[in-house]
Amino acid sequence: MTSPLSDEDLVEGTLGGDEDAFSQLYEKYRHPVYATAYRIIQSAEDARDATQEIFVKLYRSLRSWNPRKASFSTWTYRLASNHAIDCWRTRRRKHETLDSEDTGEKAEREYAFGDAIRSPYREIAGREQVDAVRRCVDLLPELQKKVFVLRYFQELKLDEIAEMENCSLGTVKTSLFRATHAVRRALRKARN
Amino acid sequence: MPRSETRHYSEEELLMHLLQEETPEAGENIAGHVRECGECNAVLREYELVVARILRWGLCDLSAEVWDADRVRLLEQFRRDQSWLERRGLLRTLMHGFESTWSYALENPLPTLGYIVVAFAFASERTITFLKLDRVVPATSEVIEIIRQFF
């Protein structure tokens, strides 16, 4: 049995036009990339489109990845979160002009998005609390949103995020605290 | 007096402690303080619950069929881009070669001039022989020979 190729090998293969290497990179990172996009954009349909766009961007800008500066996963998450923020901005603008439906309807539509989407969580956990977290994260400023998603869901360390975002560790810590504090308040409000 | 006894920790410090994002030294101080301070302990417990609730935010995942369809679409795009990149790569190689030659010529003008004359002389001689120009312009070969000997 052959050992799985490292990210460096896969990147090298992709740069050389090896479709199989790129396919393996996609297989390895599609889920975390989609998860990042989904939690920032908060729409399965848009997150799916964003994931495709992120991977196109990824192989087109692969030459700019410097392994001495960041690991491939960190570089990928940076690309993913930045693109997701752009999509979220576009989506917000669109919703502002179209006067979007309320969150409940949005959530329903999301679950009606093909039979392909499953969400076992909904049946198990308190929907109100999850909605409170979602709504709160949607209202967070961009940096707080990015730090929140990357720290809690991609489990990146804060110093990695600071390096990725080119800002100080203190700024990242404060952003994460403010975001978590806002969620704490939202959860309290939802409980009451 | 140890720091843990001097003051309460801020909520931010307690959250960083919970997420293990502080320095090991600060971590020990906070852990010591929280063991004795009910107020900080309560804040820490509340953040623990908040983080647990955040992590329960599930994902609307996509089915294997959707992923497969997306992969096919993506690989098609990859193939299209690759053929375009290959064409661009060839052009880039030619441009790069030209740039290198030009830089060499600017840095070493005399040897470059020599190469050009030799190449010209060689090409001329071949041309003269092939087209039998000697018969039309009898002195051509001699001129070429002088240039060749000169260099």
Side-chain angles (χ1 to χ4, degrees), chain A residues 131-154:
Chain A
D131 278 346
V133 175
R134 280 172 53 139
R135 274 197 301 270
C136 181
V137 172
D138 199 38
L139 294 172
L140 291 175
E142 288 173 14
L143 181 64
Q144 287 185 30
K145 197 194 293 279
K146 252 196 252 183
V147 174
F148 183 91
V149 170
L150 293 172
R151 176 60 186 83
Y152 286 122
F153 299 103
Q154 300 308 333

Side-chain angles (χ1 to χ4, degrees), chain A:
Chain A
M1 211 168 116
T2 53
S3 59
L5 292 170
S6 68
D7 284 351
E8 282 80 3
D9 293 333
L10 293 175
V11 167
E12 208 174 302
T14 306
L15 283 172
D18 182 355
E19 201 179 303
D20 190 49
F22 178 59
S23 180
Q24 283 185 56
L25 271 184
Y26 176 72
E27 196 59 43
K28 192 169 173 184
Y29 285 101
R30 66 176 189 185
H31 198 267
V33 163
Y34 169 76
T36 304
Y38 173 76
R39 289 198 174 94
I40 290 174
I41 304 169
Q42 300 204 14
S43 152
E45 204 171 345
D46 290 350
R48 181 187 166 191
D49 291 342
T51 304
Q52 287 288 103
E53 289 156 10
I54 289 163
F55 275 98
V56 172
K57 252 187 183 177
L58 184 137
Y59 72 70
R60 283 182 183 169
S61 56
L62 216 46
R63 281 180 203 282
S64 67
W65 171 55
N66 182 349
R68 275 167 290 174
K69 276 189 176 174
S71 68
F72 182 71
S73 57
T74 308
W75 183 79
T76 304
Y77 294 145
R78 182 184 182 208
L79 198 80
S81 59
N82 284 345
H83 188 79
I85 288 284
D86 288 344
C87 293
W88 170 76
R89 254 191 244 131
T90 313
R91 189 177 144 87
R92 192 183 51 177
R93 251 181 265 131
K94 206 161 68 183
H95 278 241
E96 273 167 10
T97 48
L98 293 176
D99 189 26
S100 69
E101 312 93 310
D102 67 79
T103 321
E105 278 177 17
K106 258 198 296 190
E108 289 307 321
R109 192 185 55 195
E110 202 163 275
Y111 287 107
F113 167 56
D115 297 330
I117 295 162
R118 317 171 243 113
S119 176
Y121 173 73
R122 289 262 159 162
E123 284 95 45
I124 305 162
R127 185 173 174 154
E128 274 180 22
Q129 283 187 346
V130 175
D131 278 346
V133 175
R134 280 172 53 139
R135 274 197 301 270
C136 181
V137 172
D138 199 38
L139 294 172
L140 291 175
E142 288 173 14
L143 181 64
Q144 287 185 30
K145 197 194 293 279
K146 252 196 252 183
V147 174
F148 183 91
V149 170
L150 293 172
R151 176 60 186 83
Y152 286 122
F153 299 103
Q154 300 308 333
E155 292 175 2
L156 290 188
K157 298 300 282 178
L158 292 184
D159 51 1
E160 281 180 291
I161 300 174
E163 209 177 304
M164 197 172 113
E165 289 300 316
N166 215 7
C167 59
S168 72
L169 181 61
T171 307
V172 172
K173 279 186 176 177
T174 306
S175 295
L176 183 68
F177 169 68
R178 286 189 181 153
T180 313
H181 188 70
V183 170
R184 179 189 174 199
R185 269 202 315 249
L187 284 169
R188 270 188 184 169
K189 221 168 141 184
R191 254 203 320 265
N192 295 333

Side-chain angles (χ1 to χ4, degrees), chain B residues 59 64 83 90 95 97 104 123-124 136 139:
Chain B
L59 194 66
S83 59
L90 185 69
M95 286 302 289
Y104 177 83
S124 303
V136 185

